[in-house]
Amino acid sequence: MGSPPIEFAEAVEKSRAEVEQMSAPLKAVMEEVSRVIVGRDDLIRRLLVGILADGHILLEGVPGLAKTLAVRSLAGSLEAGFSRIQFTPDLLPADLTGTMIYDPSSGGFTPRKGPLFSNIILADEINRAPAKVQSALLEAMQERQITIGDKSHLLEEPFMVLATQNPIEQEGTYPLPEAQVDRFLLKVKLDYPGRLEEHRGMEMQILERMTAETLPEVKPVLKCDHILKSREVVRRIPMAQSVKDYIVDLVLATRVPGRVNPALEDLGALISYGASPRATLALAMAGKAMAFLSGRGSVYGEDVKEVAQDVLRHRVLVTYEAEAREVTSEEIVQQVLDHVRVP
């Protein structure tokens, strides 16, 4: 490989200066949230990726893994509006969006806005409610507007949905509609630490921190204006052609795996539907956000690979054959990541 073009090198240098100037407050957010959340730096980074890339995040894990606490702590570090919606089987769409209320003084109907009219939305246990309620989020998530009566209301930026769910195998849950799942930039799965030493150390920290005389509190350290300006910087971060090729190859490998790499030929029988074009855009924006958090002026292939599993795991649908063989979409995505060369 030769040296990068002068124009690209200049763009990287300019981008690096902007990133260094704008990324410091994001580091302060990580430090604040880390005062409450123990040993989940990877989760905090992904929450920030969602903010910087202007995307929504779905958090999945069994109860007790601090999903809700992580979202609350993030919201507490921002000078932004926050709403928590507890999803239940008897929830109605109007409980999210709002409804028209009769005003006796004017003799007409006026809109009463629901909790979706805020900046950070915690949709807690989203899969506890049936599909009709879950679909009420779609317009807000995609169009950034909500229709009440015959009028559409634009949502104030930044607007971000952070949804938590228990695994589908748990009783009393409903699988999310595929159209809605695809609207999430990332699906982050939380689990217990793998090594016993790490597990014991984290549990001890949690025990000591959360049973102390005073509980740790998160202070707001980031304003909405800075989030919006940081997003502009993220979008301007340049990406080399080799990284763009890598992103496209990853997505195509979930559709026609054998054509991207003959070693992936056997995956074709296990994939019912591959990742959509929205996944291509999600990989690019999440990669740029990762580069921003790392203080770099350009996107590396490793930035994309770091978030690829979270971007793709919910966008790859497996066949009946894969289910019979107990092969998950995550295992398929991991094979793709193992066989597509990182630039």
Side-chain angles (χ1 to χ4, degrees):
M1 292 180 58
S3 300
I6 296 178
E7 295 83 0
F8 182 77
E10 292 176 346
V12 170
E13 197 60 36
K14 180 179 178 181
S15 175
R16 184 183 295 114
E18 289 184 319
V19 168
E20 289 178 356
Q21 179 182 358
M22 299 296 292
S23 61
L26 274 297
K27 295 177 183 177
V29 170
M30 289 194 65
E31 292 174 358
E32 279 296 312
V33 178
S34 295
R35 294 176 59 244
V36 176
I37 304 300
V38 177
R40 295 290 184 181
D41 289 348
D42 56 337
L43 169 60
I44 300 173
R45 283 174 65 85
R46 276 151 180 75
L47 294 178
L48 292 178
V49 164
I51 290 177
L52 292 170
D54 193 13
H56 313 292
I57 294 180
L58 179 61
L59 303 174
E60 182 179 284
V62 297
L65 292 182
K67 300 184 297 297
T68 301
L69 181 60
V71 176
R72 280 189 172 279
S73 300
L74 175 70
S77 69
L78 310 177
E79 293 186 13
F82 173 68
S83 289
R84 177 186 180 273
I85 306 171
Q86 180 65 52
F87 279 63
T88 57
D90 60 348
L91 199 67
L92 298 174
D95 294 330
L96 274 64
T97 60
T99 188
M100 300 296 293
I101 300 296
Y102 179 72
D103 185 359
S105 61
S106 63
F109 288 85
T110 58
R112 175 175 290 178
K113 296 181 179 180
L116 281 183
F117 286 87
S118 193
N119 300 117
I120 306 296
I121 308 298
L122 169 56
D124 214 358
E125 295 190 298
I126 188 174
N127 60 336
R128 291 289 180 191
K132 185 176 182 181
V133 176
Q134 295 166 358
S135 63
L137 276 176
L138 279 176
E139 182 183 17
M141 292 173 64
Q142 186 64 25
E143 306 299 332
R144 308 302 172 94
Q145 67 176 22
I146 293 175
T147 300
I148 303 177
D150 58 355
K151 185 177 180 181
S152 295
H153 304 264
L154 293 177
L155 294 170
E156 183 181 352
E157 293 290 347
F159 175 78
M160 181 183 184
V161 174
L162 293 163
T164 71
Q165 73 170 12
N166 297 326
I168 300 301
E169 293 79 19
Q170 298 283 318
E171 293 184 9
T173 61
Y174 302 81
L176 300 182
E178 297 300 335
Q180 183 178 6
V181 172
D182 196 41
R183 261 67 175 190
F184 286 100
L185 176 79
L186 307 177
K187 179 182 178 180
V188 181
K189 297 194 76 170
L190 301 180
D191 204 349
Y192 302 112
R195 297 173 55 190
L196 180 60
E197 296 81 3
E198 295 175 352
H199 201 158
R200 181 179 176 80
M202 282 182 58
E203 292 294 328
M204 188 61 67
Q205 288 187 54
I206 294 171
L207 174 63
E208 293 175 349
R209 188 174 300 183
M210 304 308 291
T211 59
E213 183 176 352
T214 57
L215 295 177
E217 294 184 3
V218 177
K219 300 177 182 178
V221 293
L222 188 65
K223 296 183 178 180
C224 287
D225 286 347
H226 193 91
I227 294 175
L228 300 179
K229 292 177 182 177
S230 295
R231 286 178 176 177
E232 295 175 2
V233 174
V234 168
R235 283 193 166 274
R236 288 196 292 267
I237 294 178
M239 186 180 298
Q241 185 61 47
S242 60
V243 178
K244 295 178 183 178
D245 291 338
Y246 177 59
I247 290 174
V248 172
D249 285 344
L250 285 178
V251 174
L252 293 181
T254 68
R255 303 177 195 168
V256 285
R259 297 185 188 179
V260 176
N261 188 330
L264 297 172
E265 185 68 42
D266 293 342
L267 287 186
L270 305 178
I271 299 174
S272 177
Y273 293 99
S276 68
R278 188 179 281 118
T280 307
L281 304 179
L283 282 171
M285 290 306 302
K288 288 189 174 191
M290 273 294 181
F292 181 95
L293 292 175
S294 300
R296 291 194 291 269
S298 66
V299 182
Y300 289 7
E302 289 296 336
D303 293 322
V304 176
K305 186 175 182 178
E306 185 175 351
V307 294
Q309 182 68 260
D310 299 315
V311 170
L312 297 175
R313 62 160 50 101
H314 55 298
R315 293 184 164 99
V316 175
L317 304 184
V318 300
T319 61
Y320 291 118
E321 179 179 347
E323 292 179 356
R325 292 165 55 179
E326 298 184 346
V327 177
T328 65
S329 62
E330 291 180 16
E331 292 170 334
I332 291 174
V333 172
Q334 191 56 55
Q335 287 194 51
V336 168
L337 293 174
D338 291 341
H339 288 88
V340 177
R341 189 182 67 83
V342 183

